[in-house]
Short mmCIF file of all heavy atoms in Angstrom, two decimals:
data_model
loop_
_atom_site.label_atom_id
_atom_site.label_comp_id
_atom_site.label_asym_id
_atom_site.label_seq_id
_atom_site.Cartn_x
_atom_site.Cartn_y
_atom_site.Cartn_z
N TRP A 188 69.17 8.57 127.91
CA TRP A 188 69.43 7.15 127.64
C TRP A 188 70.87 6.94 127.21
O TRP A 188 71.38 7.66 126.34
CB TRP A 188 68.48 6.67 126.56
CG TRP A 188 68.54 5.20 126.25
CD1 TRP A 188 68.03 4.20 127.02
CD2 TRP A 188 69.12 4.58 125.11
NE1 TRP A 188 68.26 2.98 126.42
CE2 TRP A 188 68.92 3.19 125.23
CE3 TRP A 188 69.78 5.05 123.98
CZ2 TRP A 188 69.36 2.28 124.28
CZ3 TRP A 188 70.23 4.14 123.03
CH2 TRP A 188 70.02 2.78 123.19
N PRO A 189 71.60 5.97 127.78
CA PRO A 189 73.00 5.77 127.43
C PRO A 189 73.15 5.11 126.06
O PRO A 189 72.95 3.90 125.92
CB PRO A 189 73.51 4.84 128.54
CG PRO A 189 72.30 4.10 129.00
CD PRO A 189 71.15 5.05 128.85
N SER A 190 73.50 5.90 125.06
CA SER A 190 73.58 5.38 123.69
C SER A 190 75.01 5.20 123.22
O SER A 190 75.29 5.22 122.02
CB SER A 190 72.84 6.32 122.74
OG SER A 190 73.39 7.63 122.79
N THR A 191 75.96 5.06 124.15
CA THR A 191 77.36 4.86 123.77
C THR A 191 77.50 3.59 122.95
O THR A 191 77.01 2.53 123.33
CB THR A 191 78.25 4.77 125.02
OG1 THR A 191 78.09 5.95 125.80
CG2 THR A 191 79.70 4.61 124.63
N LEU A 192 78.19 3.72 121.83
CA LEU A 192 78.37 2.58 120.94
C LEU A 192 79.62 1.80 121.32
O LEU A 192 80.73 2.35 121.33
CB LEU A 192 78.48 3.06 119.49
CG LEU A 192 77.20 3.65 118.90
CD1 LEU A 192 77.51 4.45 117.64
CD2 LEU A 192 76.21 2.54 118.57
N ALA A 193 79.46 0.53 121.61
CA ALA A 193 80.59 -0.34 121.91
C ALA A 193 81.22 -0.81 120.60
O ALA A 193 80.58 -0.77 119.54
CB ALA A 193 80.12 -1.55 122.72
N PRO A 194 82.49 -1.25 120.63
CA PRO A 194 83.11 -1.76 119.40
C PRO A 194 82.28 -2.84 118.71
O PRO A 194 82.19 -2.86 117.48
CB PRO A 194 84.46 -2.32 119.91
CG PRO A 194 84.79 -1.45 121.08
CD PRO A 194 83.46 -1.19 121.75
N THR A 195 81.67 -3.73 119.48
CA THR A 195 80.85 -4.78 118.86
C THR A 195 79.61 -4.19 118.18
O THR A 195 79.14 -4.74 117.18
CB THR A 195 80.43 -5.81 119.92
OG1 THR A 195 79.87 -5.13 121.05
CG2 THR A 195 81.63 -6.63 120.38
N ASP A 196 79.06 -3.09 118.72
CA ASP A 196 77.94 -2.42 118.06
C ASP A 196 78.35 -1.91 116.69
O ASP A 196 77.61 -2.05 115.70
CB ASP A 196 77.45 -1.23 118.90
CG ASP A 196 76.82 -1.63 120.21
OD1 ASP A 196 76.25 -2.74 120.27
OD2 ASP A 196 76.90 -0.84 121.16
N VAL A 197 79.54 -1.32 116.60
CA VAL A 197 80.02 -0.75 115.34
C VAL A 197 80.22 -1.84 114.31
O VAL A 197 79.79 -1.71 113.15
CB VAL A 197 81.35 0.02 115.57
CG1 VAL A 197 81.87 0.58 114.25
CG2 VAL A 197 81.14 1.14 116.59
N ILE A 198 80.85 -2.93 114.70
CA ILE A 198 81.10 -4.03 113.76
C ILE A 198 79.79 -4.61 113.26
O ILE A 198 79.61 -4.84 112.06
CB ILE A 198 81.95 -5.12 114.45
CG1 ILE A 198 83.35 -4.58 114.78
CG2 ILE A 198 82.06 -6.35 113.56
CD1 ILE A 198 84.19 -5.52 115.62
N GLN A 199 78.84 -4.83 114.17
CA GLN A 199 77.56 -5.41 113.77
C GLN A 199 76.78 -4.46 112.87
O GLN A 199 76.14 -4.89 111.89
CB GLN A 199 76.74 -5.76 115.01
CG GLN A 199 75.43 -6.48 114.72
CD GLN A 199 75.60 -7.91 114.26
OE1 GLN A 199 76.68 -8.30 113.84
NE2 GLN A 199 74.55 -8.69 114.32
N ALA A 200 76.82 -3.16 113.16
CA ALA A 200 76.12 -2.19 112.32
C ALA A 200 76.69 -2.19 110.90
O ALA A 200 75.94 -2.12 109.92
CB ALA A 200 76.23 -0.79 112.93
N LEU A 201 78.00 -2.28 110.78
CA LEU A 201 78.62 -2.31 109.46
C LEU A 201 78.29 -3.60 108.72
O LEU A 201 78.02 -3.60 107.51
CB LEU A 201 80.13 -2.13 109.58
CG LEU A 201 80.61 -0.76 110.07
CD1 LEU A 201 82.10 -0.77 110.35
CD2 LEU A 201 80.27 0.32 109.04
N LYS A 202 78.31 -4.71 109.43
CA LYS A 202 77.99 -6.00 108.79
C LYS A 202 76.56 -6.04 108.29
O LYS A 202 76.27 -6.70 107.28
CB LYS A 202 78.24 -7.14 109.78
CG LYS A 202 79.71 -7.44 110.02
CD LYS A 202 79.90 -8.62 110.96
CE LYS A 202 81.37 -8.98 111.12
NZ LYS A 202 81.58 -10.13 112.02
N GLN A 203 75.67 -5.33 108.96
CA GLN A 203 74.27 -5.29 108.54
C GLN A 203 73.97 -4.08 107.65
O GLN A 203 72.81 -3.80 107.36
CB GLN A 203 73.35 -5.28 109.76
CG GLN A 203 73.46 -6.53 110.61
CD GLN A 203 73.19 -7.79 109.83
OE1 GLN A 203 72.31 -7.83 108.98
NE2 GLN A 203 73.97 -8.83 110.11
N ASP A 204 75.03 -3.37 107.22
CA ASP A 204 74.90 -2.22 106.33
C ASP A 204 74.02 -1.13 106.95
O ASP A 204 73.16 -0.54 106.28
CB ASP A 204 74.32 -2.65 104.98
CG ASP A 204 74.95 -1.87 103.83
OD1 ASP A 204 75.67 -0.89 104.09
OD2 ASP A 204 74.70 -2.22 102.67
N LEU A 205 74.25 -0.87 108.23
CA LEU A 205 73.49 0.14 108.96
C LEU A 205 74.42 1.24 109.45
O LEU A 205 74.38 1.67 110.60
CB LEU A 205 72.77 -0.51 110.15
CG LEU A 205 71.78 -1.63 109.84
CD1 LEU A 205 71.26 -2.26 111.12
CD2 LEU A 205 70.62 -1.12 108.99
N SER A 206 75.27 1.73 108.55
CA SER A 206 76.24 2.75 108.94
C SER A 206 75.57 4.05 109.37
O SER A 206 76.19 4.86 110.08
CB SER A 206 77.22 3.03 107.80
OG SER A 206 76.56 3.50 106.65
N HIS A 207 74.31 4.26 109.00
CA HIS A 207 73.61 5.48 109.43
C HIS A 207 73.46 5.53 110.95
O HIS A 207 73.29 6.60 111.53
CB HIS A 207 72.24 5.58 108.76
CG HIS A 207 71.30 4.46 109.12
ND1 HIS A 207 71.28 3.26 108.44
CD2 HIS A 207 70.37 4.34 110.09
CE1 HIS A 207 70.37 2.46 108.97
NE2 HIS A 207 69.81 3.09 109.98
N LEU A 208 73.53 4.35 111.62
CA LEU A 208 73.45 4.34 113.08
C LEU A 208 74.67 4.99 113.72
O LEU A 208 74.63 5.41 114.87
CB LEU A 208 73.33 2.90 113.58
CG LEU A 208 71.98 2.20 113.42
CD1 LEU A 208 72.08 0.77 113.91
CD2 LEU A 208 70.89 2.94 114.16
#
Side-chain angles (χ1 to χ4, degrees):
W188 185 75
S190 58
T191 302
L192 292 163
T195 50
D196 293 331
V197 178
I198 295 172
Q199 185 71 343
L201 292 172
K202 287 182 176 180
Q203 297 304 321
D204 217 350
L205 300 174
S206 61
H207 62 273
L208 285 177

